[in-house]
């Protein structure tokens, strides 16, 4: 399909020298003996390490990092959004906190449709109508109270300092403001905070201060979540929402509650996977794909060989049709989790995969986009072996790009994750069904997949990523890269990715994911492709491997206890430990 354009061949072939070997030459994993923190913003990473050094556990560090990212990584870190926390404690306890957004009480199934039943463009993405009831503050406080050891004041203090005193923007931080300047300019309050008085975005080297956000953080620090949900911030958000076409009400904030759920678990080649349950599709779909792949000798077939890609893509195709049709908020729909996780079901899928031919999505009937990097995932492990994986988000970059006056809190556009209309793709190109229809107090189906892998009852890997619908395959591929392809943790998060999500019926490729002859082989089997060498990369995986940097290092008995790697796709991210 001609991804190499003749005119650019010299540039691309020059690049290909470095890029084809990019993952082999990934930076060395960061090594540490007592604790490891991996996040998409280096200042937040340092906050987490300081908490661990000061005797806090991994949950304490995760809470402090969550608050810090809300200040230093405003495109995705947040108080006005929501997310998931997967926790595995040293005693083997596994749990999952769901602090994702809920639909407002006044939400209706057809709220994004016009009189003719057509989708009103961007109604679920921009402005107050797109906003789900935020969960992050309640999530962090629930985590801290139940599983942390430090005081709220201690864990919020670093975020408060960054908000009050400001922090210096690096190149990657400035780029994220520049890329979203037009949207931020549309909301007067957001523009005042995130753009300079002349309307231009902040440049690298300049300082960003957020006094309103500091005041909100101070309130939470002193009085707890009620200072957000039952006080001035909620009142200001409701007032602005009512004035600007939204439907948020006081009761939405008063009634918001965090759910503690059992994580999804499965076993892949002897490794125990602990990941996100519904209302995320992540854990179920990762496990469904892994169950299918377990039947194939992937390490023998080789990383991104035509045979490996064929099997991976077919497993993804079948799993995503289930994702899009069958899953939703567990308080509202019956999720067929047992069936989807059953290894017999994986065998049924495998039996349908033609070894020589691409499947056809149109022939797969359901049981019943685009890309950005604007969610964020971080991975943490402490000296005692407590592991925490957090993915949280505003959904799109800077969410709905609105801030209620006086709050400094960017609000999410998570309502777009619902099925606005069955059969019509959302921001991530997901074509979803009734199980994920909008209803009051319902949580939209997510792909966020904060995941912990254990082996022989001990933590082995902590992993996750942003990436919309691709989060699932990013997380999956990082696991396969370590377990099947022998990569070290840095190579595993940096390796080029591929993705299939049933509809559209295409294999999405990152630059240099496949060699031209592999692509030709797959094209001859019936595959068509999207993306490739001159297109953007996706995701920002944050990984930790325990016991060595790779399986080979672990087998040799050498190497550091904790090995961390932040995806190089995250310009200002870092892994750090002590
Ligand atoms: O929960 C979800 O699946 C989405 N709201 C995640 C959005 C995301 O990852 C955006 N960044 N790439």
């Amino acid at each position: 399909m001609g991804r190499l354009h003749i005119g650019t061949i010299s540039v691309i072939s020059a690049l290909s020298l470095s890029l084809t070997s990019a993952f082999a030459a990934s930076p060395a994993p960061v090594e540490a003996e007592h604790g490891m923190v991996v996040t998409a913003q280096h200042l937040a990473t340092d906050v987490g390490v300081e908490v661990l050094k000061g005797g806090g556990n991994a949950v304490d560090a995760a809470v402090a990092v969550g608050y810090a990212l809300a200040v230093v990584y405003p495109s995705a870190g947040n108080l006005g959004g929501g997310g998931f926390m997967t926790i595995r404690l040293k005693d083997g306890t596994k749990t999952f906190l769901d602090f994702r957004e809920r639909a407002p009480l006044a939400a209706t199934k057809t709220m994004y449709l016009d009189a003719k039943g057509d989708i009103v463009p961007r109604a679920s993405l921009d402005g107050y109508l797109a906003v789900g009831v935020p969960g992050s503050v309640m999530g962090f406080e629930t985590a801290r109270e139940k599983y942390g050891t430090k005081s709220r004041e201690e864990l919020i203090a670093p975020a408060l300092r960054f908000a009050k005193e400001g922090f210096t923007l690096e190149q990657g931080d400035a780029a994220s403001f520049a890329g979203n300047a037009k949207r931020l300019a549309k909301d007067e309050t957001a523009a005042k905070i995130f753009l300079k008085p002349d309307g231009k975005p902040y440049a690298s080297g300049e300082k960003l201060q957020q006094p309103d956000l500091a005041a909100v953080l101070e309130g939470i620090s002193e009085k707890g979540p009620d200072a957000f949900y039952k006080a001035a911030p909620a009142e200001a958000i409701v007032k602005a929402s009512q004035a600007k076409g939204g439907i948020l009400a006081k009761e939405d904030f008063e009634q918001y509650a965090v759910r503690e759920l059992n994580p999804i678990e499965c076993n892949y080649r002897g490794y125990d996977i602990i990941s996100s349950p519904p209302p995320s599709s992540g854990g179920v779909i990762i496990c469904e794909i892994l169950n299918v792949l377990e039947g194939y000798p992937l390490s023998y077939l080789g990383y991104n060989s035509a045979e490996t890609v064929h099997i991976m893509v077919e497993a993804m195709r079948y799993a995503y049709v289930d994702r899009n049709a069958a899953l939703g908020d567990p308080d509202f729909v019956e999720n067929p989790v047992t069936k989807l996780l059953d290894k017999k079901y994986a065998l049924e899928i495998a039996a349908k995969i033609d070894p020589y031919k691409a499947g056809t999505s149109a022939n797969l009937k359901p049981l019943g986009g685009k890309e950005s990097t604007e969610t964020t995932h971080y991975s943490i492990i402490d000296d005692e072996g407590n592991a925490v994986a957090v993915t949280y988000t505003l959904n799109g970059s800077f969410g709905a790009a609105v801030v209620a006056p006086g709050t400094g809190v960017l609000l999410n556009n998570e309502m777009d994750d619902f099925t606005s209309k069955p059969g019509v793709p959302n921001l991530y190109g997901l074509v979803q069904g009734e199980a994920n229809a909008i209803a009051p107090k319902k949580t939209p189906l997510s792909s966020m997949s904060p995941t912990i892998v254990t082996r022989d009852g001990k933590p082995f890997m902590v992993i996750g990523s942003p990436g919309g619908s691709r989060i699932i395959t990013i997380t999956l591929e990082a696991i396969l890269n370590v377990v099947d392809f022998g990569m070290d943790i840095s190579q595993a998060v940096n390796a080029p990715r591929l993705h299939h999500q049933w509809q559209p019926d295409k294999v999405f490729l990152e630059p240099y994911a496949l060699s031209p002859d592999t692509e030709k082989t797959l094209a001859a089997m019936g595959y068509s492709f999207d993306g490739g060498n001159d297109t953007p990369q996706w995701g920002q995986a944050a990984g930790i491997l325990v016991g060595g940097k790779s399986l080979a290092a672990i087998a040799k008995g050498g190497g550091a206890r904790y090995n961390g790697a932040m995806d190089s796709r995250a310009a200002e991210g870092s892994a750090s430990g002590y």
Side-chain angles (χ1 to χ4, degrees):
M1 42 144 264
R3 287 192 291 119
L4 287 184
H5 305 295
I6 295 301
T8 54
I9 269 194
S10 56
V11 180
I12 285 177
S13 56
L15 275 177
S16 71
L17 281 177
S18 60
L19 278 177
T20 42
S21 59
F23 77 86
S26 300
V30 174
E31 300 180 349
E33 290 304 315
H34 301 287
M36 179 65 67
V37 180
V38 189
T39 89
Q41 219 285 354
H42 58 103
L43 296 169
T45 299
D46 296 344
V47 165
V49 174
E50 285 309 308
V51 171
L52 294 182
K53 277 187 184 165
N57 67 15
V59 175
D60 291 316
V63 169
V65 166
Y67 281 116
L69 285 169
V71 182
V72 301
Y73 198 70
S75 61
N78 67 79
L79 303 186
F84 300 135
M85 185 181 289
T86 306
I87 301 174
R88 187 197 184 265
L89 300 175
K90 62 176 175 192
D91 67 0
T93 304
K94 297 160 229 170
T95 191
F96 179 85
L97 297 178
D98 164 21
F99 53 95
R100 187 164 160 80
E101 299 87 333
R102 304 277 177 98
L105 288 161
T108 65
K109 194 171 165 179
T110 55
M111 62 188 276
Y112 299 116
L113 304 183
D114 64 16
K116 282 197 242 140
D118 295 329
I119 290 200
V120 180
R122 298 201 65 84
S124 61
L125 286 167
D126 294 329
Y128 283 90
L129 199 59
V131 180
V133 185
S136 295
V137 173
M138 199 77 95
F140 293 141
E141 281 312 291
T142 306
R144 191 194 63 79
E145 272 171 14
K146 288 195 105 160
Y147 300 107
T149 65
K150 295 276 184 191
S151 72
R152 200 165 53 226
E153 292 82 348
E154 261 177 287
L155 300 183
I156 295 181
L160 186 50
R161 186 164 30 90
F162 288 132
K164 232 186 221 168
E165 296 169 14
F167 68 99
T168 304
L169 300 170
E170 306 286 345
Q171 199 177 315
D173 306 315
S176 104
F177 287 108
N180 291 281
K182 268 199 195 139
R183 274 185 88 221
L184 291 166
K186 285 190 192 149
D187 182 77
E188 203 187 332
T189 314
K192 247 190 235 157
I193 300 166
F194 297 110
L195 301 174
K196 292 194 280 191
D198 63 3
K200 295 218 171 84
Y202 284 94
S204 163
E206 291 181 326
K207 225 177 190 187
L208 178 70
Q209 284 175 301
Q210 299 172 74
D212 287 346
L213 186 57
V216 170
L217 285 166
E218 207 148 32
I220 300 167
S221 170
E222 282 166 17
K223 299 197 185 106
D226 279 1
F228 182 83
Y229 288 92
K230 295 181 183 165
E235 283 159 22
I237 293 168
V238 168
K239 193 171 159 205
S241 171
Q242 283 167 353
K244 294 187 174 161
I247 54 171
L248 290 165
K250 200 166 138 264
E251 293 72 26
D252 288 315
F253 285 83
E254 287 167 357
Q255 292 177 22
Y256 184 82
V258 169
R259 280 183 287 199
E260 181 155 12
L261 303 167
N262 291 323
I264 289 292
E265 297 188 55
C266 64
N267 185 281
Y268 177 67
R269 301 195 203 278
Y271 294 86
D272 292 303
I273 314 288
I274 305 160
S275 193
S276 47
S280 179
S281 58
V284 178
I285 300 306
I286 287 174
C287 284
E288 183 176 340
I289 297 172
L290 287 173
N291 284 345
V292 175
L293 296 181
E294 204 173 36
Y296 298 86
L298 292 192
S299 77
Y300 170 78
L301 298 175
Y303 170 74
N304 278 10
S305 68
E307 280 175 290
T308 293
V309 172
H310 171 54
I311 301 305
M312 281 173 62
V313 166
E314 292 311 316
M316 289 175 190
R317 185 195 310 278
Y318 280 92
Y320 270 82
V321 74
D322 291 336
R323 180 208 179 282
N324 293 0
L327 300 180
D329 183 332
D331 286 351
F332 289 76
V333 297
E334 196 76 42
N335 287 292
V337 172
T338 311
K339 170 175 174 160
L340 299 183
L341 295 186
D342 191 342
K343 298 227 180 205
K344 278 194 228 114
Y345 181 58
L347 289 177
E348 283 169 31
I349 293 175
K352 288 187 210 149
I353 299 175
D354 181 330
Y356 304 109
K357 229 172 118 222
T360 307
S361 290
N363 295 344
L364 260 66
K365 289 295 171 249
L367 291 178
K370 291 172 218 146
E371 186 44 28
S372 70
T373 53
E374 308 307 348
T375 289
T376 193
H377 174 85
Y378 53 96
S379 296
I380 299 180
I381 192 159
D382 65 22
D383 201 19
E384 298 188 311
N386 300 304
V388 177
V390 177
T391 316
Y392 79 137
T393 186
L394 292 166
N395 190 28
S397 190
F398 293 91
V402 290
V403 176
T407 67
V409 174
L410 273 159
L411 294 166
N412 68 83
N413 58 359
E414 215 70 58
M415 292 294 285
D416 188 68
D417 277 353
F418 278 117
T419 308
S420 287
K421 184 176 175 177
V424 179
N426 74 352
L427 179 64
Y428 305 110
L430 288 169
V431 179
Q432 309 183 94
E434 285 294 332
N436 190 30
I438 306 172
K441 290 185 93 167
K442 191 174 174 184
T443 291
L445 186 65
S446 174
S447 300
M448 293 191 288
S449 312
T451 299
I452 298 167
V453 183
T454 65
R455 194 171 64 165
D456 304 327
K458 297 199 192 84
F460 173 72
M461 187 174 182
V462 189
I463 189 73
S465 178
S469 56
R470 300 177 198 198
I471 291 172
I472 293 168
T473 53
I474 296 165
T475 307
L476 168 90
E477 286 166 27
I479 295 170
L480 298 179
N481 288 347
V482 167
V483 170
D484 291 281
F485 304 122
M487 293 185 200
D488 73 35
I489 186 65
S490 177
Q491 293 165 339
V493 299
N494 282 300
R497 320 194 213 273
L498 55 89
H499 172 77
H500 195 288
Q501 60 180 41
W502 171 57
Q503 295 288 6
D505 193 350
K506 280 178 181 178
V507 184
F508 291 92
L509 298 176
E510 271 199 324
Y512 303 96
L514 298 181
S515 69
D517 49 4
T518 309
E519 215 178 291
K520 264 188 216 143
T521 305
L522 288 161
M525 295 168 83
Y527 287 104
S528 57
F529 301 95
D530 199 323
N533 292 354
D534 46 4
T535 61
Q537 297 172 306
W538 65 75
Q540 297 179 342
I544 298 172
L545 207 64
V546 181
K549 65 177 184 173
S550 65
L551 281 185
I554 294 170
K556 276 196 208 131
R561 183 177 176 211
Y562 294 148
N563 302 265
M566 185 67 217
D567 199 322
S568 326
R569 295 166 184 85
E572 301 308 339
S574 70
S576 181
Y578 78 105

